[in-house]
């Protein structure tokens, strides 16, 4: 028995008890007569006291101990004279009677405190030290709680967790697969799953009815910040359901997670259509913690002699409340430059200020009378002191630009309260997305997504506009402007699936060789079914109001896909390559 | 809403209620006036009735339905006239009022019943149909229950589930790795983990203290029956613990699983040393559902003029209770041939029969008097009617052979009660195993296992006999003769780890390049730690008294490592290979 208690649990009520503790030396303070050590473990920090007067040898021993040494001590709990109210154990300390060094430590390369002096690269290399820091440790524990509560809740709702295989088949559709050469099947490869999509659909055909799995998925993509080659999904599928059943089920799950892990009761989630989201917020994952919805001004601004507005597809703006006095002409110029950067790509910015003194100032004041501008202000529910920001251009691009501006302004205006939680369902996505470059349709969600019942007939059209207008029976859960997950009702009919593959540019042979097993399964009594997947890493980050997912992952990879702690990937030897029937084909140096 | 109830829940109390059900057509019976359909889903089977008199059109429609068609019906629950006591829903039937075919089905290639006419290969190809069969479905659901109860119990005990990475580093030690070529790091490879061993130890250094994970592991081995290239472990590690803490923790888990999933209370698990297990049962995973322990006879049989016994290392036997009259000379000859097969490799078999009439018959009667044979019988606690079976030879080999014979005889004597559960801990394994072929030591458990405290000093020896006698702080959980899992207290000191690598034939450079990150971590305050891993598939099979693990896996691979349903592995295209900096190097046809 290495310890009777952990370093986070002793309280005043334990005073007088003989205890044994073990942990790491977080800090040491030597005073004339006394030496203090803060002993840390996963559960907290407890102060140890060594007294030179009463135990000189022990105190000498303690003074030789360095940071992060692993200690085991016996001692007696006693009340502290100057208590530390910031620490749950701050009312007590341990009068140490014996001390054993379980392991020494080199001086750690960065400080192991709430805030560290270690840079990203060194923290990743010594990840085992970084995880000792409370902020990282707490995130990993938080993730574990979210996972267990997810499992408990779904099991209570009758879901079965079923493991699907990791060694599957490569399919060129979608992102790039990681592949695994097969030694026993020369020249052949497994692929690591990008998601268990086809297997979970097969499980519905198999009658399993309510499936879930918390599962690793793999994508060999060029890594952007905050993308990992392996990531974790809460993956679900249900049979004999319609969209409404799935939304309700996973709204219950989300509410359960907020309640059980954070103690927060969420109200019912609003549902808005993709079209409405795009029209009002220019985004299919709108942040609803603040309003600033778009107002389309075309009917008010066109035909009044301002050619820029007359010749565009869309004129649309937001009302920034109380900002008229906050933005000088120079500030507006800066904001315009910010919008004109290639990342956003706006052509320009029109503003209308309604000053507190009642005057109206606008960058298009030459083209419109005050009376006309007032109609805009009215349309956007403005009051004296407000400022309208207006963009114009091609519809989709302009909405995206204004969406960026909306988020930027909300940040500057401090409208984003991190304690507010605004979930919503976005529904009725388009089924197909025309890609100019490849001159073909792509699946907006994935090729197994069903059109809505209302749009089923349009699947037979050959008109690109008609096909583009088909709505998918698909949905996303969005919280505070981040997509937590999405899903769809699936196609469960072989003919319809073949038709969809055809629209997506698959030849019948390609469809058969890649997904023949699924379409084969559809011929043996496939039930209506649908599902959803949440990104676990993302969900955890959003629940805690964090921007980065990385510290929710115990051992993340860097932007080159490397694990710098273990130094992977690495070379393998010739013999291993030979067994796998492979040769390296390296680029010229 | 596709259904108001499932097909397993309606009872007499529901009589008169209007319900909607959905499911698969398990069977159809047409009589003159009535047509019956058994509608199946995950939860059970409910009988539907169509009446030609009252609803002729509906009944005609029903008569066209084939096996495995997916139906949705509305109807009224009513009491059955001839009840089916074998089915929970057997008291009721549904008087159908409307019927919708949700999907048709081809005729399935095998019957979807408890016992099927489908062979292994076809059941694997149409796994989605096989899973509709109750025995397969129930095993998958059982596994899900074991997994969730494992998680609940360990979480309640303060364990944190932490995901370790799947894309790690290849190490030549142990079984063969599956590797994953890196596109972004030309010529380099990730490996899929054979277990999260080094990561869970790193987590202990990181202070996480109680880690678990239900995790996929991968081994590229030639597949024997009942081995899968990917398999699932309940993987655990604890810091600040000794062996006793770990055994108690995982004995509690095992008891919890039997209690919560099967309703069975297990008594405390006995603990026996590896040496005792080998001496008494010739196996480190003895089946204790029956006794038939070994008795060593050397002191009684040697020096009596029988050269075969005089010149061997060990003479050891078992007493087969009441078998004297069951085995003719011909039967014993057959048993001897069975033992002499190369799989077992015994030289011969000596028997002593104590017949019911008091006479003693033995194959070595020429060499020993009845008085001498009686001393053997006494030593083995024999009674009239019993038969001794005795083997002789080199110690380890003879024990193994007698272990096989013990199991075989228990089977023939019907001593193995499938309802009996006999768990035990086997402890104090040897640390090192001498391998004649490679002329070096191998790790009996793995290279991170600590010697016992008592044997720590022997690590400095260069004497092979002394090194062979070192005991490891390692343990296995055995239930009914199957190894459920094992673990050890780990080395947490860099010097000792290096010494162990040296004994295992690693050069310092090899040790550093493969495990430098772990030994580096040991220098920054590694706590004493240890762990264990259970095979989830195996545990499920043993808990249900099944021999094969395969049906606990939703989508298993065949003996060639192929998934015959999806047809994986498969070839990938040239472009993909090129991106991975690889060329095929196929064997000559």
């Amino acid at each position: 028995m290495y310890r009777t208690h952990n370093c986070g649990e002793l309280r005043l009520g334990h005073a007088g008890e003989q205890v044994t503790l073990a942990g790491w030396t977080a800090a040491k303070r030597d005073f004339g007569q006394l030496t203090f050590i803060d002993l840390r473990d996963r559960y907290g920090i407890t102060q140890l006291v060594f007294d030179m007067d009463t135990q000189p040898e022990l105190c000498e021993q303690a003074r030789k101990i360095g940071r992060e040494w692993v200690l085991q001590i016996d001692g007696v709990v006693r009340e502290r004279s100057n208590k530390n109210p910031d620490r749950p154990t701050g009312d007590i300390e341990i009068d140490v009677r014996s001390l054993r060094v379980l392991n020494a430590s080199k001086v750690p390369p960065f400080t192991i405190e709430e805030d560290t002096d270690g840079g990203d690269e060194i923290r990743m290399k010594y990840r085992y030290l970084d995880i000792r820091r409370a902020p990282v440790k707490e995130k990993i524990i938080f993730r574990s709680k979210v996972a267990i509560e997810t499992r408990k809740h779904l099991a209570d709702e009758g879901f079965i967790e079923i493991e699907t295989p990791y060694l599957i088949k490569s399919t060129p559709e979608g992102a790039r697969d990681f592949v695994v050469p097969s030694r026993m099947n020369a020249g052949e490869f497994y692929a690591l799953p990008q998601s268990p999509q086809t297997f979970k659909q097969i499980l519905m055909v198999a009658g399993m009815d309510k499936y879930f799995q918390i599962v690793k998925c793999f994508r060999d993509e060029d890594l952007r910040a905050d993308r990992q080659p392996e990531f974790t999904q809460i993956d679900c599928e249900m049979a004999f359901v319609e969209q409404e059943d799935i939304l309700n089920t996973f709204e219950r799950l989300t509410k359960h997670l907020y309640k059980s892990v954070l103690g927060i009761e969420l109200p019912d989630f609003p549902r808005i259509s993709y079209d409405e989201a795009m029209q009002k917020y220019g985004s299919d994952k709108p942040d609803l913690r603040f309003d600033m919805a778009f107002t389309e001004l075309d009917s008010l601004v066109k035909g009044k002699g301002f050619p820029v507005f007359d010749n565009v597809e869309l004129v649309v703006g937001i009302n920034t409340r109380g900002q008229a006095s906050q933005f000088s002409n120079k500030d507006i110029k800066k904001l315009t430059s910010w919008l004109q950067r290639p990342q956003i790509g706006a052509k320009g910015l029109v503003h209308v200020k309604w000053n507190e003194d009642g005057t109206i100032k606008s960058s298009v004041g030459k083209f419109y009378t005050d009376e006309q501008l007032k109609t805009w202000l009215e349309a956007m529910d403005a009051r004296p002191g407000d400022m309208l920001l207006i963009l114009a251009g091609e519809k989709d691009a302009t909405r995206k630009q204004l969406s960026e501006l909306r988020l930027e302004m909300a940040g500057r205006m401090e409208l984003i309260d991190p304690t507010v939680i605004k979930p919503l369902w976005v529904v009725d996505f388009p089924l197909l997305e025309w890609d100019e470059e490849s001159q073909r349709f792509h699946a907006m969600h994935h090729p197994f997504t069903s059109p809505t019942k209302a749009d089923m007939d349009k699947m037979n059209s050959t008109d690109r506009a008609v096909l583009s207008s088909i709505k998918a029976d698909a949905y996303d859960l969005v919280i505070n402007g981040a997509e937590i997950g999405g899903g769809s009702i699936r196609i469960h009919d072989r003919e319809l699936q073949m038709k969809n593959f055809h629209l997506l540019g698959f030849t019948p042979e390609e469809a058969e060789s890649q997904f023949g097993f699924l379409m084969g399964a559809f011929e043996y009594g496939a039930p209506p079914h649908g599902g959803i997947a949440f990104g676990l890493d993302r969900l955890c980050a959003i629940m805690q109001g964090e921007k980065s997912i990385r510290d929710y992952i115990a051992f993340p990879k860097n932007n080159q896909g490397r694990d710098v702690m273990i130094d992977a990937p690495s070379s393998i030897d010739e013999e291993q390559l030979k067994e796998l029937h492979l040769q390296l084909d390296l680029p010229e140096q």
Side-chain angles (χ1 to χ4, degrees), chain A residues 298 301-302 307-316 345-348 350 390-402:
Chain A
D298 302 77
V301 306
K302 285 181 174 174
V308 173
F309 280 176
D310 286 348
N311 298 324
V312 294
E313 203 179 352
L314 179 69
V315 179
V316 58
K347 295 241 170 56
V350 168
I390 298 164
L391 299 180
E394 187 273 320
K395 191 174 72 181
D396 293 348
T398 305
R399 284 175 171 171
K400 253 182 216 159
Q401 293 153 11
L402 191 60

Side-chain angles (χ1 to χ4, degrees), chain A residues 93-286:
Chain A
E93 62 192 5
I94 311 294
D95 178 12
V96 177
R97 305 295 165 88
S98 73
L99 162 67
R100 285 166 299 286
V101 173
L102 298 177
N103 217 338
S105 172
K106 287 192 190 173
V107 175
F110 51 86
T111 55
I112 299 179
E113 308 275 346
E114 295 272 322
D115 288 311
T116 181
D117 56 354
D120 258 16
E121 189 76 5
I122 195 141
R123 287 174 46 215
M124 285 301 132
K125 185 168 162 58
Y126 295 92
R127 186 65 168 171
Y128 42 88
L129 299 179
D130 205 26
I131 294 175
R132 284 188 204 155
R133 294 173 52 234
V136 181
K137 178 192 73 180
E138 293 302 337
K139 288 193 180 81
I140 291 170
I141 293 175
F142 182 84
R143 179 201 179 95
S144 171
K145 280 188 197 147
V146 171
I148 187 80
E149 285 300 335
T150 299
R151 288 185 157 108
K152 278 188 195 168
H153 178 84
L154 290 176
D156 286 347
E157 290 222 357
F159 282 79
I160 304 295
E161 185 161 23
I162 303 176
E163 292 178 54
T164 52
Y166 280 100
L167 296 171
I168 66 164
K169 184 170 165 163
S170 187
T171 54
E173 179 68 8
R176 229 185 256 103
D177 286 322
F178 281 105
V179 298
V180 181
S182 168
R183 181 178 55 85
M184 286 202 277
N185 303 273
E188 297 192 326
F189 293 77
Y190 302 98
L192 300 179
Q194 296 185 29
S195 91
Q197 183 63 35
T198 51
F199 284 95
K200 67 178 176 172
Q201 292 192 242
I202 289 278
L203 284 170
M204 295 305 106
V205 181
M208 294 309 278
D209 172 280
K210 287 180 175 181
Y211 144 93
F212 87 102
Q213 189 181 192
I214 298 186
V215 62
K216 274 279 174 79
C217 302
F218 303 85
R219 273 179 214 172
D220 185 13
E221 288 176 332
D222 294 321
L223 303 172
R224 300 199 303 252
D226 232 27
R227 274 269 179 106
Q228 288 283 324
E230 43 178 311
F231 57 96
T232 305
Q233 266 183 207
I234 302 171
D235 191 57
C236 304
E237 197 80 6
M238 303 170 77
F240 301 117
V241 289
E242 287 159 338
Q243 183 182 115
E244 197 57 22
D245 302 305
I246 295 181
L247 300 198
N248 289 334
T249 304
F250 292 91
E251 188 165 323
R252 280 197 301 278
L253 171 64
T254 309
K255 286 176 178 173
H256 171 79
L257 292 176
Y258 271 86
K259 181 83 179 84
S260 60
V261 183
L262 295 173
I264 294 172
E265 301 259 11
L266 293 182
D268 289 345
F269 301 0
R271 293 167 194 195
I272 76 173
S273 72
Y274 173 86
D275 286 346
E276 188 187 344
M278 296 309 288
Q279 193 175 17
K280 285 176 72 174
Y281 307 103
S283 167
D284 58 2
K285 37 178 193 280

